[in-house]
Amino acid sequence: MEPDFQITDANRVVRGPKRALYDRQAVYQIIDNAAVAHVAIAAGGEYPLAVIPMFHARQEDAILFHGARSSRLMKTLASGIPVCISFTMVDGIVLAKSLFHHSMNYRSVVLFGTGELIEGDGERLAAMKVLSERIMPGRWDDARKPNRKELDATAVVRVCVETASAKVRIGGPLDEPEDLGLPIWSGVVPIHCRAGNPVSDEFSIGLELPDYISAFVREYNSRNAM
Amino acid sequence: MEPDFQITDANRVVRGPKRALYDRQAVYQIIDNAAVAHVAIAAGGEYPLAVIPMFHARQEDAILFHGARSSRLMKTLASGIPVCISFTMVDGIVLAKSLFHHSMNYRSVVLFGTGELIEGDGERLAAMKVLSERIMPGRWDDARKPNRKELDATAVVRVCVETASAKVRIGGPLDEPEDLGLPIWSGVVPIHCRAGNPVSDEFSIGLELPDYISAFVREYNSRNAM
């Protein structure tokens, strides 16, 4: 079992500390389920920061990203500067009797680490496979593999997780005791993401939908079911 | 009609410029539909940046946030420093015949602006109502309004939108011409968010679900239907 993240000034959850989690398993589960990562980098010019959404996958204690080798974001991530990455899933709208106690149910992670370029075809292909299998398990063995030109155009970056924390809210509203008798409906409107029926393109007429895609849709919807 | 955002170094979409949109209407529509905002602020210490997910609403050309008056994030936003905010919705997984052309369908906005504290009860209450009506239209008139103590504990911040851009990908995979004949299933797995049946808490037994909540669920699911 991996040790928990040490609580420091960087990852301490100050607001709502009872909703904070510092154990690696909880943090990694949220990262693995989040559709996208929001990556903050230092940008030059008038605005010193930029936040960019990226597709990610986790490989042990690192977050993997890929992108065009020529992109500013990939170059910045590869340069070894400290980065912050945030992952968020919204699970519901919490309607309390008082407006003050309205809230959202969510699972979120804020993570700090340092990026590095993955080099060498072997390691790069292994990382690309992790990214591909995260988006669709089984796809790597089915689709056409990257050729030399495509490999050369792609940068793959690993951000080693140095510290992180999760913040999770679940359950119903938490109203003031004196408000509990008010005749105002209170409760939760659940929000969940679903995968729809796969839509084939015009170049797949007559091709059967592979089993791993149907399995993905089923698994996605059962994981996100309420 | 509001003018488009001027393209500058801050908001220019360099990767995939054909997917970029700079018109205010497209940008604001994405902001209004996104469940959360990812806000980047400068943090002290070892890691110079932090990205935090926040609930937001738009009021004309500004993004509103609320939070505890004592929070670091609210204080930083109120201090008038430049901030970057990102909004992202994932709409599908794009499965091309080649791994290289795999992608996601998405709608995203990256926005730059400057924050300021909203002062005075009148303006603060008006902003809180915009935030409340964004999360659940009709709720403001139904729930118990903030009292003096709750008002005093809450900071409301407005980030004036100075520049922004949207990036949107829709449609099927874009494979290389020489790959189109490969017998590999290609297409899109749609992803969409749904609101589930509202779940009342134990303090609402015997209370009917208000019409505005049922209407919200219907409207939410028809807006996100595929």
Side-chain angles (χ1 to χ4, degrees):
Chain A
M1 179 70 192
E2 297 276 358
D4 291 351
F5 293 110
Q6 241 196 305
I7 304 175
T8 66
D9 281 350
N11 72 333
R12 178 179 289 113
V13 174
V14 181
R15 311 307 315 176
K18 280 183 287 190
R19 297 176 187 164
L21 299 165
Y22 298 95
D23 67 285
R24 231 169 253 268
Q25 206 190 341
V27 166
Y28 287 171
Q29 198 172 12
I30 292 168
I31 294 172
D32 293 348
N33 278 287
V36 284
H38 282 86
V39 182
I41 56 166
E46 200 181 342
Y47 297 97
L49 315 167
V51 194
I52 311 285
M54 295 194 77
F55 179 72
H56 71 282
R58 185 178 60 84
Q59 186 180 38
E60 295 169 13
D61 294 321
I63 312 299
L64 304 175
F65 299 103
H66 60 344
R69 189 178 284 278
S70 52
S71 86
R72 179 188 72 168
L73 181 59
M74 294 309 290
K75 282 181 188 163
T76 306
L77 285 174
S79 72
I81 57 150
V83 291
C84 179
I85 312 173
S86 186
F87 308 84
T88 308
M89 284 168 286
V90 170
D91 295 323
I93 300 170
V94 181
L95 301 168
K97 296 189 193 286
S98 65
L99 288 163
F100 186 75
H101 285 293
H102 277 60
S103 189
M104 310 279 274
N105 281 336
Y106 59 87
R107 288 163 288 162
S108 71
V109 161
V110 175
L111 171 162
F112 298 90
T114 312
E116 63 181 17
L117 195 66
I118 300 182
E119 312 214 52
D121 282 353
E123 262 205 277
R124 279 154 50 71
L125 279 164
M128 285 178 185
K129 183 171 177 180
V130 172
L131 282 154
S132 169
E133 291 294 289
R134 223 264 304 175
I135 202 168
M136 179 61 70
R139 192 68 180 168
W140 184 263
D141 287 332
D142 191 18
R144 200 237 324 129
K145 302 281 179 305
N147 59 32
R148 186 73 257 160
K149 191 179 138 207
E150 291 167 345
L151 263 176
D152 289 346
T154 307
V156 191
V157 163
R158 171 200 295 128
V159 174
C160 298
V161 181
E162 287 160 13
T163 187
S165 56
K167 206 172 161 187
V168 174
R169 191 199 188 284
I170 51 173
L174 294 168
D175 267 305
E176 300 296 330
E178 62 269 29
D179 289 333
L180 294 174
L182 292 175
I184 299 165
W185 189 93
S186 49
V188 174
V189 178
I191 301 285
H192 57 150
C193 283
R194 287 187 66 78
N197 289 327
V199 180
S200 66
D201 70 3
E202 61 189 291
F203 306 105
S204 299
I205 293 166
L207 295 179
E208 238 182 89
L209 185 73
D211 286 343
Y212 64 84
I213 300 179
S214 327
F216 169 85
V217 171
R218 273 198 309 277
E219 199 275 323
Y220 188 97
N221 290 336
S222 92
R223 189 189 342 142
N224 291 287
M226 288 167 302
Chain B
M1 180 69 193
E2 297 277 356
D4 291 352
F5 294 109
Q6 242 195 303
I7 304 174
T8 66
D9 281 350
N11 71 333
R12 179 180 287 113
V13 175
V14 181
R15 311 307 314 175
K18 280 183 286 189
R19 296 176 187 164
L21 299 165
Y22 298 94
D23 66 286
R24 232 169 250 268
Q25 206 191 341
V27 166
Y28 287 171
Q29 198 171 12
I30 292 169
I31 293 173
D32 293 348
N33 278 286
V36 284
H38 282 85
V39 182
I41 56 166
E46 199 181 343
Y47 297 96
L49 314 168
V51 195
I52 312 285
M54 293 193 79
F55 179 72
H56 71 282
R58 184 178 61 83
Q59 187 179 39
E60 294 170 14
D61 294 322
I63 312 298
L64 304 175
F65 299 103
H66 61 342
R69 190 179 283 279
S70 52
S71 85
R72 179 187 72 167
L73 181 58
M74 295 309 290
K75 283 182 188 162
T76 307
L77 285 174
S79 72
I81 57 151
V83 291
C84 179
I85 312 173
S86 186
F87 308 85
T88 309
M89 284 167 287
V90 170
D91 295 322
I93 300 170
V94 181
L95 301 168
K97 295 187 194 288
S98 65
L99 288 163
F100 186 75
H101 285 294
H102 276 59
S103 189
M104 310 279 274
N105 281 336
Y106 59 86
R107 288 164 288 162
S108 71
V109 161
V110 175
L111 172 161
F112 298 90
T114 311
E116 63 183 14
L117 194 65
I118 300 182
E119 312 215 54
D121 281 352
E123 263 206 276
R124 279 154 51 70
L125 278 164
M128 284 179 186
K129 183 171 176 180
V130 172
L131 282 154
S132 169
E133 291 294 289
R134 225 268 300 178
I135 202 169
M136 178 62 69
R139 191 67 181 168
W140 184 263
D141 287 333
D142 192 17
R144 178 179 61 74
K145 304 281 179 305
N147 59 31
R148 187 72 258 161
K149 191 179 138 207
E150 291 167 346
L151 263 176
D152 289 345
T154 307
V156 192
V157 163
R158 172 201 293 129
V159 174
C160 298
V161 182
E162 287 161 12
T163 187
S165 56
K167 206 171 162 188
V168 173
R169 190 198 190 284
I170 51 174
L174 295 169
D175 267 304
E176 300 296 328
E178 61 269 29
D179 289 333
L180 293 175
L182 293 175
I184 300 165
W185 189 94
S186 49
V188 174
V189 178
I191 301 284
H192 57 149
C193 283
R194 287 187 67 77
N197 289 327
V199 181
S200 67
D201 70 3
E202 60 189 293
F203 306 105
S204 299
I205 293 166
L207 295 179
E208 239 182 88
L209 185 73
D211 286 345
Y212 63 84
I213 300 179
S214 327
F216 169 85
V217 171
R218 274 198 309 277
E219 199 276 323
Y220 187 98
N221 291 336
S222 93
R223 189 189 342 142
N224 292 287
M226 288 169 301

